[in-house]
Amino acid sequence: MKKKWLSMLLASTMLIAACGNDTDESSKKKHVEHEQTETTQQTNHAHHQHTLANGDLQEETASVDVLPSFLDQQSEDLKLVYKAAGKATEILKWLPCYCGCAESADHKSNLNCFIKEVKKDGTVVWDDHGTRCIVCVEIAIKSIEQAQKGTTLKEIREQIDHDYKEGYSQPTPTPMPS
């Protein structure tokens, strides 16, 4: 059941661009009302934010179950991608990103587009880079979907490297999974 839910979740994120550009005023109003209700209902958690020199915002929360406040105004689909990334750290840390973040943000893998680190005590330092980059989001979605289907990390890595070898930036310096 959990895998089926996550697959549906990831498939729905493919519509991020379309959902983010909704021009129907009643849909926009419902979306804003939903976000306001959700924000009102959220438990107040301690969040520590700072902005990096490259413009990325990082925020620390108590765990992967507590999303950063920089997602408050983002689409539900993008929030789901961040939730999935938080649950898939052992997958995404082996996969490179091809958006140019290795140079601009010193990222080491696709995971860093969403999470800088998970500390020993379980606190998470989130990164907002993925909120502005469809390449980061696509790689995360494709990778998690393939892992759910039973594809090995090495096979996923080879496919991502193949899919993004032309027309994209140099990949992050991500080690190859064994």
Side-chain angles (χ1 to χ4, degrees), residues 9-18 77 134 138 141-142 145:
L9 157 84
L10 292 172
S12 71
T13 58
M14 298 301 268
L15 302 174
I16 289 173
D77 289 336
I134 193 65
E138 286 177 356
I141 292 168
K142 287 178 184 183
E145 284 179 334

Side-chain angles (χ1 to χ4, degrees), residues 118-123:
V118 178
K119 297 182 179 181
K120 289 181 183 180
D121 66 358
T123 58

Side-chain angles (χ1 to χ4, degrees), residues 38-158:
E38 182 179 295
T39 302
T40 302
Q41 293 173 348
Q42 286 179 343
T43 307
N44 194 7
H45 298 282
H47 296 272
H48 308 293
Q49 285 186 354
H50 68 279
T51 303
L52 303 178
N54 69 354
D56 283 0
L57 180 67
Q58 291 184 343
E59 182 175 333
E60 186 174 309
T61 67
S63 72
V64 295
D65 296 319
V66 181
L67 291 176
S69 64
F70 63 69
L71 291 175
D72 288 352
Q73 301 304 313
Q74 298 293 334
S75 72
E76 290 304 310
D77 289 336
L78 191 55
K79 290 176 188 177
L80 292 174
V81 173
Y82 268 81
K83 284 180 188 178
K87 303 293 184 192
T89 59
E90 291 302 312
I91 297 167
L92 300 181
K93 75 178 186 179
W94 295 105
L95 299 164
C97 188
Y98 282 81
C99 77
C101 61
E103 290 182 29
S104 69
D106 198 31
H107 287 177
K108 305 299 182 209
S109 71
N110 183 243
L111 177 63
N112 296 143
C113 301
F114 307 95
I115 294 176
K116 178 185 180 197
E117 71 176 307
V118 178
K119 297 182 179 181
K120 289 181 183 180
D121 66 358
T123 58
V124 177
V125 179
W126 300 91
D127 193 301
D128 81 330
H129 187 85
T131 65
R132 298 178 308 282
C133 183
I134 193 65
V135 173
C136 303
V137 171
E138 286 177 356
I139 291 171
I141 292 168
K142 287 178 184 183
S143 302
I144 295 169
E145 284 179 334
Q146 289 302 309
Q148 289 177 332
K149 292 176 182 176
T151 308
T152 68
L153 284 172
K154 189 171 182 180
E155 292 169 326
I156 296 167
R157 169 64 181 268
E158 289 169 351

